[in-house]
Amino acid sequence: PEFPVLIADQIMPGIRGDELLIAVHKKYPRTRSILLTGQADADAVGNAVNEARLFRYMAKPWDIADLNLTISEALRSFYQDKTLLEQNLELEATRRELERLNRSLEEEVERKTAALRTANEELRRADRQKTAFFQNVSHELRTPLPLLRGPLEMALRDERPLTTAEVGPMTTSSRRLSRLVDQLLDLQKVEAGRLRLQPRGIAVATYLNDVIDTYRPSSRRREVELAADIAPDLPAVHVDPEALDKSIANYLGNAIKFTPAGGRITLRATSREAAVRFEVEDTGVGIAPEHLPHVFERFGRSAPALNGQQGSGLGLALVKELVELSAGAVGVRSQPGRGSSFWFELPAAETTDGEAHSAPQAPEDAPATAVQPPSSQVAFVEAMEHSPARRGE
């Protein structure tokens, strides 16, 4: 227990007053000590002053009023110091709390500054990507038009029917133009939340075998080997057929587009717990590491052109949106010069009896959009023009 004042005589049985005061001071350093004696020598008083912080030495005979005043002063001094100590402790606690708040504020400012800097960089990058995207889309829109307008104007001027040689490129150009417009419309649907999927069970093995048969002629024309690696006993997947068509068509179309002659493309399907992973692996040009985190973002362009191949920049982000709307996930691995592996996973149907869905019909030219993203678009490749889902089958 803490006590404010100790009054001791110098001469006591078994111990001297200065010794007692020194011993007590070691345990209670804030207690005020008063030594009362008429026989204490100078050494005893010095010891009490130096080692016990003696408050006052009173020689006998002392005056009772003087003693009362000394005790009152000792009590006032004790409680004044106690109050000051408590205030100092409160001030120290306040100081530490202010330092903590200051550090927290500085850290928050640093975080906000870093977040603003990152957001600013993202906005700049998005602005650059949008500019590049619209330039590319503008080019894609303008490219087919001369092939349509030129023969038509000549036929009208010469008052003659169109020839077969003129109709072929016009048909291809009209499909190309229609495909790009469809892509942009689907992008608008997804961003507006108006794209509605109608999932059902689809037998994976049957579907992918049809895909291989459909795309093999196109890959042969480009002198690229197309192989299948389909695991046995795959469950059916629960997905909208048109969404699956577009996702597979984009992956395969990109692989065919960016794989040089003599390369190899493998369409793989494996079972992963309650899902099925679809993977398209190629030996094409690959993607630089700094571009990999952005391949599924909107407006990005991550793969170099091969033999003049270009795309609208809508493909992979559309796949991402479709797969995520189907409760799935997408991913990619790639090495520049060694190829890429794009995959997506879809949830398995409750039963393994999936309704077979035929693969989209490959076009005469290479089906694909380039490896680029926006966040919410549906990728049409040329195969989509003949998709069974489009025909309502």
Side-chain angles (χ1 to χ4, degrees):
E2 188 177 56
F3 57 94
V5 178
L6 171 63
I7 306 172
D9 201 356
Q10 173 63 13
I11 304 301
M12 296 184 296
I15 190 170
R16 299 186 318 184
D18 60 317
E19 295 173 340
L20 174 63
L21 296 181
I22 291 171
V24 170
H25 179 72
K26 291 179 179 178
K27 293 188 65 177
Y28 306 97
R30 295 198 300 120
T31 296
R32 301 312 192 250
S33 299
I34 301 174
L35 185 60
L36 304 177
T37 183
Q39 302 180 25
D41 55 26
D43 290 340
V45 175
N47 289 339
V49 170
N50 295 327
E51 299 183 40
R53 293 185 62 190
L54 188 64
F55 184 76
R56 186 175 177 190
Y57 164 70
M58 298 184 67
K60 294 179 181 178
W62 59 81
D63 179 72
I64 188 64
D66 189 23
L67 178 60
N68 287 339
L69 180 61
T70 300
I71 293 173
S72 297
E73 283 298 309
L75 288 170
R76 185 193 64 77
S77 174
F78 174 85
Y79 286 112
Q80 184 181 53
D81 283 0
K82 183 177 181 180
T83 301
L84 288 174
L85 177 62
E86 291 172 349
Q87 291 175 345
N88 287 336
L89 290 174
E90 290 178 359
L91 287 173
E92 178 63 21
T94 302
R95 184 189 64 80
R96 288 195 298 268
E97 179 64 14
L98 286 174
E99 287 182 351
R100 186 190 67 79
L101 291 174
N102 187 51
R103 287 194 301 270
S104 176
L105 181 60
E106 289 176 351
E107 292 172 357
E108 183 66 18
V109 169
E110 290 177 359
R111 284 195 296 269
K112 294 289 187 181
T113 302
L116 287 173
R117 190 180 299 114
T118 300
N120 189 43
E121 288 299 321
E122 286 296 317
L123 286 173
R124 289 179 179 177
R125 188 172 66 85
D127 187 60
R128 291 193 298 268
Q129 288 176 335
K130 284 184 179 180
T131 300
F133 168 76
F134 286 118
Q135 288 175 346
N136 186 58
V137 169
S138 176
H139 170 77
E140 289 290 313
L141 287 170
R142 288 195 304 267
T143 300
L145 292 177
L147 296 176
L148 289 170
R149 189 177 62 186
L152 286 173
E153 289 180 348
M154 292 176 60
L156 289 172
R157 185 181 64 239
D158 299 338
E159 296 182 353
R160 61 172 177 80
L162 293 170
T163 66
T164 303
E166 292 171 330
V167 170
M170 290 177 65
T171 302
T172 301
S173 297
S174 64
R175 287 179 178 174
R176 181 178 179 183
L177 192 59
S178 175
R179 184 177 66 251
L180 183 58
V181 172
D182 285 342
Q183 290 173 339
L184 295 172
L185 291 176
D186 281 335
L187 164 62
Q188 185 182 30
K189 286 181 183 179
V190 175
E191 290 183 339
R194 292 187 289 105
L195 183 65
R196 297 292 181 264
L197 301 181
Q198 298 180 347
R200 59 181 174 85
I202 295 179
V204 176
T206 303
Y207 174 79
L208 291 184
N209 284 325
D210 288 344
V211 168
I212 291 295
D213 293 339
T214 300
Y215 278 85
R216 185 163 280 125
S218 179
S219 65
R220 284 174 179 168
R221 283 194 298 273
R222 293 183 176 272
E223 300 180 6
V224 174
E225 180 183 357
L226 180 60
D229 181 9
I230 303 173
D233 302 325
L234 284 174
V237 290
H238 190 65
V239 65
D240 183 282
E242 191 170 354
L244 181 60
D245 282 351
K246 295 169 183 177
S247 301
I248 289 290
N250 268 282
Y251 276 7
L252 272 177
N254 283 333
I256 292 174
K257 177 178 290 187
F258 294 106
T259 301
R264 177 184 174 90
I265 298 172
T266 302
L267 176 58
R268 185 175 293 111
T270 54
S271 179
R272 300 176 66 87
E273 298 181 354
V276 175
R277 172 173 286 196
F278 299 81
E279 186 171 5
V280 176
E281 184 179 68
D282 64 62
T283 58
V285 294
I287 302 170
E290 64 270 20
H291 292 153
L292 273 179
H294 309 294
V295 295
F296 290 102
E297 294 177 1
R298 64 176 62 197
F299 307 126
R301 298 183 63 84
S302 55
L306 179 66
N307 298 328
Q309 295 290 339
Q310 298 294 334
S312 64
L314 307 180
L316 292 180
L318 299 178
V319 174
K320 181 176 182 293
E321 289 294 334
L322 284 175
V323 170
E324 290 182 351
L325 285 173
S326 304
V330 299
V332 60
R333 301 185 306 275
S334 185
Q335 286 185 326
R338 301 190 63 178
S340 304
S341 177
F342 283 86
W343 58 265
F344 62 84
E345 291 182 0
L346 293 173
E350 293 183 0
T351 66
T352 57
D353 297 328
E355 179 183 350
H357 174 70
S358 57
Q361 179 178 340
E364 292 300 318
D365 51 350
T369 30
V371 186
Q372 292 100 20
S375 157
S376 49
Q377 305 138 344
V378 179
F380 279 81
V381 289
E382 298 197 350
M384 292 301 97
E385 295 300 325
H386 308 279
S387 166
R390 278 197 170 278
R391 297 199 301 267
E393 296 177 5

